[in-house]
Amino acid sequence: MRPVLPVITMAVLALSHAAPALATQPLHQTVEQAYPQLDYFFQKLVKERDGITIDGRAPFQSHDKFLPGKIATGLADVLLHTPADDPRLPGMLRDYASIADLTVGMENDTWGIYYYIGALVKLKQAGLLERAVRPATLDQLRKKLDWRTFVRVPTYELIDLPTNYYGVAFSIARLRLLMGWEDAQASDVLLDRMLKHYADYSGTYGFSDETDGQGRFDRYSILLAAEICERFIETGLTVTPELKALLRKSADVALNAANADGSGFTMGRSLGPYGETAMLEILSTAAYLGVLTPEEKEYAYAYSARIGERYMTFWYDPALHSVDMWGKGRRTDTYRGKHRILGENFSLLHQLISTDEMWNGAGMKNAVPRADLAAWLERARPAFSLTRFAGGEYDRALAIWRDGPHVFSLSMINGGPSQHANSPYYPLPFSYGIVSGIADSGAAHPQLLPKFRLADGSELIATAFLKNIQTSDIDGGHRVTYRQDALTKLGKNVPVKDTRIAVETEYTLRHGVITRTDTYTPAAPLDVAGVSLDFASFSSGATVDGNTIAFRDGAVRTFAVDGLASCSADDVTGSEAYRAPYGPMATLTTCRTGAFTFDKPLRIRWTIRYQ
């Protein structure tokens, strides 16, 4: 046995995921802490204007194409929270107008347009618009805040954008109607386009494909039904029974995946606090629309209160006066890079405020959260569930398994361009502090998936072509199986089928133990240069005994591999390459087999034992 180099303590990660204190304050009281944070940025913008810097970053030089809209909505939240008789309000309105003058000519696209016009509508409804935005600036905004900047007319096709942007365009059109800037014709057409896409690519399952039917799903696919309902509520439309039915499906997934510590979705990209605020949006909207039972509402609120508390105690850094998704060993994808630090603060705080308003509207303002959330989740939610997202040529589904304080999301959701090689989309059992994807990881070290390197230089992993997903109960646990008639050949923006190798996969899930068994079969004898398997874990203090790695500290106690020749473990403390959305990884285990002629089935199995 040989020890790995000393590794860092996981105290920070452990504290962030520790069992929450029983006494969680009401969500509304927690969200009140958002306003001093917003006011800090308000004053800083007034003082520094477009030269503002935050933790060494210059937001106005970062090409954040949503920033003007997020500024407008974040500062509008401050104005709307300020009492009408507050002597500071006239000066704050003048400052808002000055900042609007500053940003009106800046790049502001899609979501930025939505945020900006939403702020204008609220200011108008509050009787503050004329004092908050000067007439000449408002005239410019009327021209610039238009859905036609990213939708072709008269065909109503999106201009090089994912299909979920139909929802953004619809929202902007509805808000323009409320501003008196256009009639209802465009919003009606865009609504029809949005719902048609939803129906075309979600079918009977009710979750939105991020692609045109290529089968890529993530937390946004679950969130979208709630977002559409929110847009209806926001713009005065009656939410239809069909939308409520979709929302109910999303609420079921959210409750099944809920964790009493306030953590949220663990699969897919753009997580960090957004994996948690997505839960907030789904459940607050479901409560507001009466989609939850009275008991579900009580505990969904308790979970929401924990999410709010976690934002303030874990994600917000008072020393920076900012959310922190980039330090302390955390990592985001490029989309949410630190160059967007100012806009991320505004959008996250606005989500907290708007979901709190939804909970208030559901009758839960200042309600004391239930203290027995963990016990309720274990008692009332299924220990195991399978939610299907798509069927047909390939299957897409999400299996959720609850094992005490751990919630595993086995996400089988990977298709389409751009993300297929990144580990947040791999078919893995993601769980906080046990298995995580790494944003924008690529496939150089594919997390927990064997990678075949062929003699011709091709690299293959099993990611995207899942068929026949099946589940069954087994003694003391659950089984998930599927097959792939082809592996994914790496190197392209889209997953490329390589039929030279097929695979059958089985997961077994038992208390404290997860095992994955892959049986690979060659279509014909094949020269393989080597096979590797990597596991980047949060556990530390590793010792290696053959192909079993034992850890001194952390949730994962052992990691064992069968079917490969040898394993090693390395300290990856401080490595930029091994960071989860919520904290640093500690140890990289690598198992390998050298060159061989692949002419009969090969079984590769790994087992994670955790506490």
Side-chain angles (χ1 to χ4, degrees), residues 349-504:
L349 293 171
H350 180 69
Q351 285 184 33
L352 290 174
I353 289 168
S354 59
T355 52
D356 177 54
E357 290 173 350
M358 203 76 79
W359 274 116
N360 295 345
M364 301 301 286
K365 184 174 183 178
N366 287 322
V368 177
R370 296 290 297 260
D372 59 338
L373 174 60
W376 181 82
L377 288 170
E378 188 167 354
R379 179 182 74 251
R381 303 312 301 175
F384 179 86
S385 63
L386 182 77
T387 302
R388 294 192 180 271
F389 287 177
E393 183 179 8
Y394 302 112
D395 287 354
R396 301 289 185 256
L398 174 66
I400 298 173
W401 180 46
R402 187 175 296 279
D403 184 17
H406 302 293
V407 181
F408 293 88
S409 293
L410 174 51
S411 57
M412 298 163 280
I413 55 172
N414 188 339
S418 76
Q419 291 292 332
H420 70 94
N422 291 328
S423 57
Y425 286 84
Y426 291 169
L428 298 177
F430 297 111
S431 183
Y432 196 102
I434 296 178
V435 175
S436 174
I438 300 171
D440 291 346
S441 66
H445 299 277
Q447 177 81 307
L448 287 168
L449 294 184
K451 179 166 69 172
F452 286 74
R453 184 166 55 87
L454 305 186
D456 66 4
S458 302
E459 292 187 329
L460 313 180
I461 58 175
T463 59
F465 304 109
L466 282 65
K467 295 183 176 183
N468 195 32
I469 296 173
Q470 299 293 327
T471 67
S472 59
D473 294 333
I474 56 176
D475 182 32
H478 308 275
R479 176 189 286 121
V480 180
T481 61
Y482 57 84
R483 63 183 174 86
Q484 298 184 68
D485 295 336
L487 301 190
T488 299
K489 185 176 181 180
L490 299 171
K492 299 294 185 181
N493 187 49
V494 297
V496 175
K497 292 175 66 173
D498 194 313
T499 58
R500 288 177 288 179
I501 303 176
V503 62
E504 295 184 358

Side-chain angles (χ1 to χ4, degrees), residues 182-258:
E182 63 180 72
D183 60 25
Q185 179 183 358
S187 62
D188 289 345
V189 174
L190 290 166
L191 174 62
D192 180 69
R193 288 295 180 96
M194 176 176 65
L195 295 179
K196 184 177 184 300
H197 172 268
Y198 211 124
D200 286 348
Y201 298 114
S202 300
T204 60
Y205 299 109
F207 300 96
S208 180
D209 191 338
E210 285 206 320
T211 67
D212 287 329
Q214 295 162 292
R216 187 179 76 218
F217 298 84
D218 62 14
R219 56 123 197 147
Y220 197 80
S221 303
I222 304 165
L223 170 62
L224 187 57
E227 275 199 355
I228 295 171
C229 291
E230 288 173 36
R231 300 297 87 83
F232 272 53
I233 296 166
E234 179 182 35
T235 60
L237 292 174
T238 300
V239 178
T240 66
E242 292 79 10
L243 283 175
K244 288 183 180 180
L246 293 173
L247 179 60
R248 177 67 232 193
K249 289 175 179 283
S250 295
D252 275 330
V253 175
L255 289 172
N256 288 348

Side-chain angles (χ1 to χ4, degrees), residues 308-338:
E309 182 180 71
R310 180 171 156 81
Y311 182 85
M312 296 301 174
T313 59
F314 180 71
W315 292 110
Y316 177 69
D317 186 338
L320 296 178
H321 296 280
S322 172
V323 66
D324 187 3
M325 296 186 278
W326 311 278
K328 303 173 185 175
R330 303 168 192 169
R331 174 167 167 161
T332 64
D333 55 4
T334 303
Y335 177 75
R336 295 205 189 279
K338 196 172 181 179

